[in-house]
Amino acid sequence: MPHVVVVGAGVIGLSAALRIQAEGHAVTIVARDFPSGFETIDPVTQINFTSPWGGAHNRLVPPTNATEVREHAMSLTTFAHMRATAAASPEAGITFMKGIEYLEAPGPAYRALTDENAAHDLGMEGFRMLRREEMPEGVTFGCEYDTWCVNPMVYCGFMLRRFVFQGGRIVKKELRDPVEVWDMEGLQASVDVLVNASGNGFGDPDVFITRGQTCLVANLCPATVTRQNADGSWTFCVPRNFEGGTIIGGTKEPDNWDPNPSLEVREKLLRNFAATYPQILGKDGKFTVIRDIVGRRPTRRGGMRLEKEIVSGNKCIVHAYGLGGRGYELSWGVADGVADLLKAHLGSGSSVTSKL
Ligand SMILES: Cc1cc2nc3c(=O)[nH]c(=O)nc-3n(C[C@H](O)[C@H](O)[C@H](O)COP(=O)(O)OP(=O)(O)OC[C@H]3O[C@@H](n4cnc5c(N)ncnc54)[C@H](O)[C@@H]3O)c2cc1C
């Protein structure tokens, strides 16, 4: 079995590394950033490591085209994986709960949802349309379903520990280009496949950032709640649990590189969420703010890149990046895709680029 190097230790690199390890490969992760306690991840120097700054919850996105159909299937794969992992390993940082969706101006894909087709066609467990009296003012569509949230650094730390425990090697190093791996001391000669799980794809011109500002509060919430406002803005919460507080969000700002949180935005996010879901405030009617968060979703025009590329001789790169705002919820679908591309490469010795 060839030795495989995974470049990247965010949620995508870690999931792919564990998945490849399960196939029997020796795996090394090379990355500039590795998961550690959320409290010590540096918001300035590690802002481009997205995984710590994500929510992270799993939401229903009713599919409207082939890309979304594929992503929905990946979200179901991830759901099943999360359910099994949460049951077997409570310390993994995964919590199952209701996901509540509120929309002020639902498009046709939401309006077409019924209890029956959401369960049978989309595989949504526990799906139910909300009654008018269950929805906040201004909302015209509501539903709930069974879903999961993770405390990102607890979950990613769990995956990293498992990877190392199972014999995986790690190298902390910033690369200029993933092909540097072919010549790294101790790795060369034994490696002919690497996985590019770098988030941003090393200069791919189709990748851009989508800035997200959220606020971490100590208030607890029993569900993950998302409201899509008629003006295109979002109001949501993501319980992290495991004493990780609750994320109140959030902005989605393409190509905004500002690393600094705005106090004005924080106040607006908190005010809007309290108006949507006042139960979060508890008896004292207040939020207890822990900190503001700014993250950069690695977004890609045309969607994620999940394909293999032959770079020289039989050396192959499997690309798995550009997950935008869905890295956690699609992670195990992507990991399966990486494993399939790897198998196809090793089986065929093919010299063509192929996509999943
Ligand atoms: C505010 C916000 C909220 C979000 N909420 C959710 C949510 O609720 N649900 C969800 O599914 N997703 C959510 N996301 C998106 C999710 O966080 C990302 O899709 C995911 O973290 C991307 O993971 P990744 O592993 O691809 O990239 P990253 O986490 O960025 O990891 C990239 C890895 O590659 C390494 N790397 C990069 N360049 C180099 C280099 N030159 N040399 C060496 N190593 C390198 C990095 O060090 C790191 O280890 C959210 C994101 C934000 C910002």
Side-chain angles (χ1 to χ4, degrees):
M1 281 281 199
H3 179 187
V4 178
V5 170
V6 175
V7 176
V11 64
I12 297 299
L14 291 164
S15 309
L18 284 172
R19 182 68 182 74
I20 298 165
Q21 214 177 31
E23 297 286 321
H25 292 275
V27 184
T28 299
I29 300 179
V30 179
R32 180 190 58 220
D33 308 280
F34 281 87
S36 63
F38 178 69
E39 300 70 22
T40 55
I41 299 257
D42 183 355
V44 177
T45 58
Q46 292 184 286
I47 190 169
N48 293 318
F49 177 29
T50 307
S51 293
W53 316 119
H57 58 180
N58 171 61
R59 290 188 47 245
L60 167 63
V61 179
T64 59
N65 55 42
T67 301
E68 288 174 0
V69 166
R70 178 174 82 146
E71 291 185 355
H72 182 70
M74 288 182 166
S75 76
L76 295 182
T77 299
T78 309
F79 182 97
H81 189 96
M82 291 296 191
R83 174 151 278 166
T85 306
S89 306
E91 75 281 12
I94 306 162
T95 312
F96 273 75
M97 64 186 75
K98 283 292 178 196
I100 300 174
E101 301 283 335
Y102 296 134
L103 285 91
E104 292 185 0
Y110 282 96
R111 290 201 305 270
L113 289 173
T114 64
D115 291 359
E116 290 71 32
N117 67 24
H120 297 128
D121 303 343
L122 298 179
M124 298 304 296
E125 293 182 19
F127 185 95
R128 179 175 78 84
M129 301 288 287
L130 298 181
R131 297 184 300 277
R132 181 157 291 282
E133 64 272 19
E134 294 177 285
M135 301 190 280
E137 210 183 311
V139 168
T140 62
F141 171 97
C143 67
E144 67 172 26
Y145 48 85
D146 296 342
T147 195
W148 53 263
C149 291
V150 294
N151 180 322
M153 284 302 94
V154 174
Y155 176 61
C156 289
F158 164 79
M159 287 200 288
L160 178 62
R161 257 194 336 274
R162 174 163 284 188
F163 171 76
V164 171
F165 184 71
Q166 293 176 169
R169 289 175 58 199
I170 58 170
V171 177
K172 195 164 170 30
K173 179 174 167 59
E174 177 160 15
L175 302 170
R176 180 75 189 278
D177 189 293
V179 300
E180 271 188 64
V181 160
W182 310 134
D183 296 313
M184 272 173 64
E185 205 170 327
L187 293 183
Q188 77 261 42
S190 59
V191 180
D192 67 3
V193 185
L194 72 84
V195 177
N196 172 10
S198 59
N200 58 26
F202 285 91
D204 179 336
D206 286 324
V207 173
F208 60 98
I209 58 151
T210 305
R211 181 183 186 274
Q213 180 174 335
T214 60
C215 182
L216 184 65
V217 298
N219 306 55
L220 300 177
C221 193
T224 178
V225 181
T226 305
R227 176 174 179 152
Q228 297 182 49
N229 304 310
D231 65 2
S233 65
W234 296 73
T235 300
F236 61 82
C237 84
V238 185
R240 284 184 160 182
N241 293 326
F242 301 85
E243 300 193 333
T246 300
I247 292 285
I248 305 294
T251 66
K252 298 188 182 186
E253 306 162 74
D255 293 316
N256 183 342
W257 291 88
D258 186 354
N260 304 304
S262 144
L263 196 53
E264 200 183 321
V265 169
R266 177 217 278 186
E267 293 306 326
K268 190 172 168 196
L269 295 176
L270 297 182
R271 198 169 54 243
N272 287 351
F273 192 76
T276 293
Y277 200 83
Q279 302 91 306
I280 195 168
L281 297 175
K283 287 195 187 89
D284 64 357
K286 287 189 187 143
F287 280 113
T288 303
V289 172
I290 299 174
R291 66 188 276 189
D292 298 301
I293 291 174
V294 174
R296 294 173 173 167
R297 301 172 180 93
T299 320
R300 186 168 183 267
R301 274 175 281 278
M304 78 178 88
R305 185 172 184 200
L306 182 54
E307 64 180 333
K308 72 169 182 158
E309 179 190 4
I310 303 300
V311 285
S312 68
N314 204 32
K315 290 199 185 308
C316 171
I317 301 183
V318 175
H319 297 283
Y321 64 83
L323 268 293
R326 306 196 72 185
Y328 283 90
E329 58 192 9
L330 307 186
S331 51
W332 284 97
V334 174
D336 280 354
V338 168
D340 289 347
L341 286 165
L342 195 60
K343 264 191 224 154
H345 170 69
L346 297 173
S348 70
S350 150
S351 60
V352 293
T353 297
S354 63
K355 278 185 178 196
L356 273 191

